[in-house]
Each structure stands twice: as C-alpha cells, then as structure tokens.
Amino acid sequence: MKIKLLMGNEAIAQGAIRAGVKVVSGYPGTPSTEVLEAIARDNKKDIYVEWSVNEKVALEVAAGAAYTGARSLVTMKQVGLNVASDPLMSLAYIGVKGGMVILVADDPGPISSQTEQDTRHFARFAHLPIFDPSTPEEAYDMIGEAFALSEKFSTPVLFRPTTQVCHACASVEIKEAIEIKEIEGFIKDPKWVIFPKLSYQNHIKIIENETKISEDFSKSIYNQIIGAGTKGIVACGASFLPAAEILEYLPNDVRLMKISTPHPFPEKLAFEFLKNLDEVLVIEELDPVVEENLLRMCGKMGLKIHIKGKLTGDLPIAGKYSYEIVRTAIYRFLGEKLPLDNQAELLQIPIRPPVLCAGCPHRASFYSVKMAMKKAKQRAVFTGDIGCYTLGNAKPLDMVDTCLCMGAGITIAQGLQRVEDDSKKIAFIGDSTFFHTGISGILNAVYNETDITVIILDNSTTAMTGHQPHPGTGKTMMGNLAEKISIENVLRGCGVGFIKKSNPLNYEDAMDAVTQAVNYKGVSAVIFESPCIAVIKPKTISHIKENCIGCKKCLKEIGCPAMSIKERKVSIQPHLCYGCGLCRNICPVNAIGGEKE
Amino acid sequence: MKVDCLLAGVGGQGTVLASKIIAQTAMNSQSFVRTSETIGMAQRGGCVVSHVRTDAKHCSSAIPKGMADLIIGFEPAEVVRNMEFLKPKGRILVNINPIIPVTASLEEVSYKVEDIVKFLRDIRNQVVFVDGRKLCQIAGSPKVLNVIMLGVAIKEQLLPFSKEEMLHTIQEILPQKLIEQNKTALEVGYCFEKYHHDKEAL
Ligand code: SF4
Ligand code: SF4
C-alpha cells in the first residue's frame, strides 16, 4: 500500500486499473481527459486504450468489449454525452455482461464547456445507476464499486465526477493487487439485438432493477447520515467536503446526509434521515436532482418537511458551488450570523482572459482570412467551432460569429447560406474536430450543393485538451505509429470541389488560397497546415527595430500576447515570442526584425 | 502543521508544478494534503490559481476566503486578484515583474507595477518582493521562476519545510534532465538576498 498525491482523475484511473479494466476508450474533454491518459500511462501494458474519433464511437467500442464479459470504461465530458446519447439509451435496454462504466465529467461553472448540463438527468432518463464521488480518494474506491454493480445487474453504470473532484489532488492510498476476471467471450444470443418486443420486456426489467439498486444504495458506504438534530443538511458529490468543514466550525446540532449515488435514489436511507426533521437544506451542484427526489418522497410518504435548496432560492440555481456559497447557505439555514469577509479595498487590475498563444498558427490563419475578405471588399460570416480556435473570438481578431457545438460550424454555415446568400459563409474547424463530427457536415454540404468555404486549422494535434493524438496525427494511444489519415483525401472522397493546402505563416500564399476558395462556387476547403507551438521549437524570435514609428499597428491588428506596450512603445518579450513572423508582415515600415538566418 | 497556501500566476509560469512540489513535500512528512487548481482554457495566457492545504483530510480542497496563510504570486496583478483569500495577517511573496495582458495593451488600460507594490506595502502584512527576472537570469533560465520562488519562501520561513526536504521532493518528482537546473533555481531563491543588494528599489 502506497500513499500518493493523485489528481481525482488519476485516482479514478488507478481505481479502474485495480478493478481489472481491459478496454478503455474516450474522447478528450475537460475536465475528464486525464482519466484515460493516466490509464494509458500507468497500466502494465495489458489494457487496450484508445482515443476514439468521437464519444458515440467510444461508447460503442466499450460496449462491444463489455459484451464479451471484459470490464470496460469509456470517458467523456457532459457535452460529449449528448453525442453518445443514441447508443447510451439503447445500451441501457440491452445491458452488458462485463462491468461497463461510462465516466462523464460535469463542469459546473462552466470553466471550459459550452453548457453546464447535469449528467444525473441522463441517469434518470436512461434508468441507469450513477455515482457522484465527493473526493479523489473516494472516487478511487468507488470506481471499483461501479464495475461490481454493473456486473451484478448487467447494466452500464454512469460515473459523474465534477471539476472540483477531477482536478483536485489528495493523498490517496493505492493498493497493489489487481482484480483478475475470467473473460467468457462473446456468446451469440438474440438478447444482443435490440428489437421492439425485446425493448418492451427490458423496459420492465430495468425499472424493476432500479428498485433493487435503490435498496443497495441505501446500504452503500458512500451514503451516510452523520450527527443528529431537528435540522437536516444534504450534501452531494463535491459539495460534501465544504459542507462538512463548515459544520465543523459551528456549534449547532445538525443531521448531515451525504449522497453520492443520486440515482436510483436511496429512498430507505433518505427516509431514515427525514424522520423527525422540520427543515432540510439540499446542497448539490447544477440541477436540483436530489432536492426533487426528497420533495417527491415527502409527497409519497406524506411528510411535512420544508425542503430548501435551489427551488426555494436558498442556493444559486447555476454555477460551481464555492466554499463561500455553501457557507452562506448553511449559515442562513441555521440562523447564524455570517462573519464579515476581510474586504481590503482592492486595486483595479486589468482582466486576463485566455487568448490564442503567442506564435499560434491559428492567429495567422484567421488574419489571412480576414484580410482576404477585406481586400475583396467581401462581406462574410465566420462560423466557429469548439477547440483552441474558439479563442479567435477575442479582440482584435473577432473572428467567431457563431459557435454551438462540435462540428456545428460547418452545418450552421449551410443553414445561414440557405436564407441569405449575399455574404460568404466561412466555417472554421480544427483537425481533431474535423474527424469528430466535421466530416458528416461536409458530406451534407456536398450532397445538398451548398456554397460554403471550410477552413481546416490543422495544427497536427488536439491542442485544447492537452495534445491528444487523432487519426490525422499518425499515432495511437497505444503508442503505435499508424497510417495517417489525410484530411485532403477525406475531403476529396467526400466530393469537395476545391481543396487547397497552405501554410498560414506564409501570409501572401495564405491570403491567395482563401481568395480562390471563397470565389469557388460550391463546397471549397483550405487546409491550413502549421503545427501547434507546443509541439515545435521556437524559431528566431522577433524584435522591434530602431525605425519603429510607434503606430502600434502590429499589436492592434493581431493581438499577439508576446507584444506589450512599455512607455508608449510596442515591445516584444523575447521569452514569449515564437518567431512565427506574422507581425513582420503587418508592420508598414519593416520595423520588426528577426528574419530566419 | 497546518498550512493553507495559495499560488497565483499566469498560464505557462509553472504554478501547478510549484503547488505539486509543496504538496509532495508536506506529504513526505506524513500530512494529508488536498490541492485544487484551474485547468482548461485558463492556461492559455489566462490566470492560474492553485490551492494547497495540508492536514486537510476533513477540509474542502479549495481554501476558503480569508483563510490562506500565504500567497505566492508569480505575477503582481495576480496577487491582488486573489487578496480576498488571504488571512488578516497572512503573508505574501511576490515576483514584481508583470505580464501585461493583451487586452490591457489593446484597450490601453493602465497597468502600473508601482501601484501594486505600494498597495501591497500598505496592507501591513509581511510582504516579500523579489525581482524574478533577475533571479531567473542568475539561475540561467526564464522557466524556473516557480522553483526560485519556493527557495525564497523557505528562506523567509513562509513554508514549514527545510531546503533539504524540498530538494528531496524536486529530485523525486521532476524528470532527470530538469533536476540540475531546478536545484540551482532553489539555491538562487534561497540566497535571493545576496542578489538583491538594493532592497529599496524593489
Ligand atoms: S513573431 Fe510576432 S506575432 Fe509571432 S510570436 Fe513573435 S511577436 Fe508574436
Ligand atoms: S507596426 Fe511597425 S512601426 Fe508600427 S508599432 Fe509595430 S513595429 Fe512599430
């Protein structure tokens, strides 16, 4: 037994390895990404691990493995589950043989997501059990429990850590032993074929199972009642630790219930908890799932208890629950006077939003598209997508007019074009997203004969989530070299009429490629190829020369973070500059030096 | 010993690694540690904050406002941004070299380090100012600011560890090829006063 400092995601990975998982698939998405990466890194090379092209594919790969009796894990974030929801809903009916855990990390805040959606609804919707760990060390134990439950009821099990668990680190006790499971193999049986009649029968079965699992959950060590009193507090998932810490500082008698398995709801335990209480405060991140369950129970059992939480406005309806939010709610609920915060008079400081990195090739790509349109005096709408390049929305580039979800840049452009064709529709998409859901949008545009231009920002990696490989990189997560899939050939295969490759750092060539593509009637594409700065070495760095006239055009046009203004003059910070050379194309008097020797 | 330490910096400054080193050093002396940090979009030139709490088995992983014993700031504005976490008599260690956000340059919002230094001096907490850029030059790399700051923190007894304990952690968790450089960085930080002759100028 070793005690290690592990991030919640790493703890889950260690727990899954210890539980004898055999196949792991996923698509990167913050805050879930490190789970799969840590399994790939830390296993004894006896686990198959892959980044799949998207979440639907990943879930189906894991399901196939579980049909054989092997334990499998699939990882994604909450928005990814939407992509995978089609197989998810059906798999809930079909079930599995080997334990299968579907890890979906939720992102309250949200810190880096399109939505805040609460995966616990999916558990209710699909009738699947779900675990909601409170701490990294609990997540480590719980994942093994999830596999066992999955096998006991032949059902996939959801596992939903939130950011405050995924990205928190804690001292975790690691056990060395790994569970060994006999794998029976796939046995042909009509039960694996989803068919209307079977679905009806299975629907009844999964509802029956929900009752049984609810009873199991009432006895689970992950749900507890602590303390006694006539007032009750329920804390779920990541809210448990702050709630417990706050109560530690207060003298009040409070009955605290920890809920880490929100569905099927552990009614027996909750009934035990509710007995003789007058008032209950429910603390849970995102939606009032547990709160509604308690309300339902009060109705069902005829209990007269005031349930407070999001629905009563006692806690915020959205966002991440910080310690302070939990504290305010608990103090108010218990009628305690809130201590005054040490409010020093603060100094005004500038905001610091995330931006495209210095030297990022996307900056050059966006700029050349912008300038090409400006030169042609052409109105254009820029449909954006999900990835680093979403940051093209920042000033001064201002190049994202729409952004919805993965792959939607290409399809939204088509809808816009159907209604107004007096402007050009230019869709941006990255290489990983292209393989994720970009291709089907391109097929649709070609098949339905739409006039759009697609700009593929190919930086040879999945940069936003930390440089995962994808089909275009020629690498797999198993460390093998694979055949690279050429984006150009895929586009050609889809029937795209005009395809041009260009290096965005070669300004003239890039503008020319864009102009030609936009002038083509039909589906055209420019593939901008230039690697992410995180995978290359900096080139000769740039500097501002003596003849600078101080017009600040370089800074104002592209907003490179390596540039700043010092004593009214533009300067380039040498340790930030990557030498991409974009600024050199912009200076009207050639005052930026640093040409490649 | 219970310590709540907050590290604040900008993406790319090694904030997360520094928090790992502190956490691991505490764990090596049998403490239950919790940390939490921002990971995600924020890293792209945005703010990065790391919370480290020792003896924290029954504590939330984020430090409550007004409860941090110490703030280590790799960038002056980031210290100000996180001041509300500091205890009334909490201590501050700050690198005075600013990283000016592009938005500030574009919108011509003023960013004056002198104002921040004055603000921090006026709050009557114990504040240690260091010229990180200069110390990085002495250590021979712009990338070791984080470990230099840890060296200073130990020298000033802001963290309850010895230099040897921290060095041991560095050797334990960093890849072989980075150890020498970070050893030097820790030493430069530890001897920072030697290089800061002109303390008033800071
Ligand atoms: S060359 Fe210019 S645009 Fe490119 S990273 Fe350096 S300063 Fe920024
Ligand atoms: S564009 Fe050229 S002249 Fe104008 S501020 Fe930049 S370097 Fe100086």
Side-chain angles (χ1 to χ4, degrees), chain A residues 250 252 327-328 330-340:
Chain A
L250 286 170
N252 312 50
R327 187 178 67 175
T328 308
I330 291 183
Y331 272 64
R332 263 210 219 110
F333 177 67
L334 298 177
E336 292 286 337
K337 216 171 143 254
L338 267 171
L340 285 178

Side-chain angles (χ1 to χ4, degrees), chain A residues 137 169 245 324 352 463, chain B residues 34-35 44 60 65 78 99:
Chain A
E137 66 274 23
C169 296
E245 184 180 356
E324 288 69 29
R352 197 187 291 280
Chain B
R34 288 196 193 281
T35 78
R44 286 169 175 72
S60 137
K65 286 188 183 148
E78 295 315 308
I99 296 177

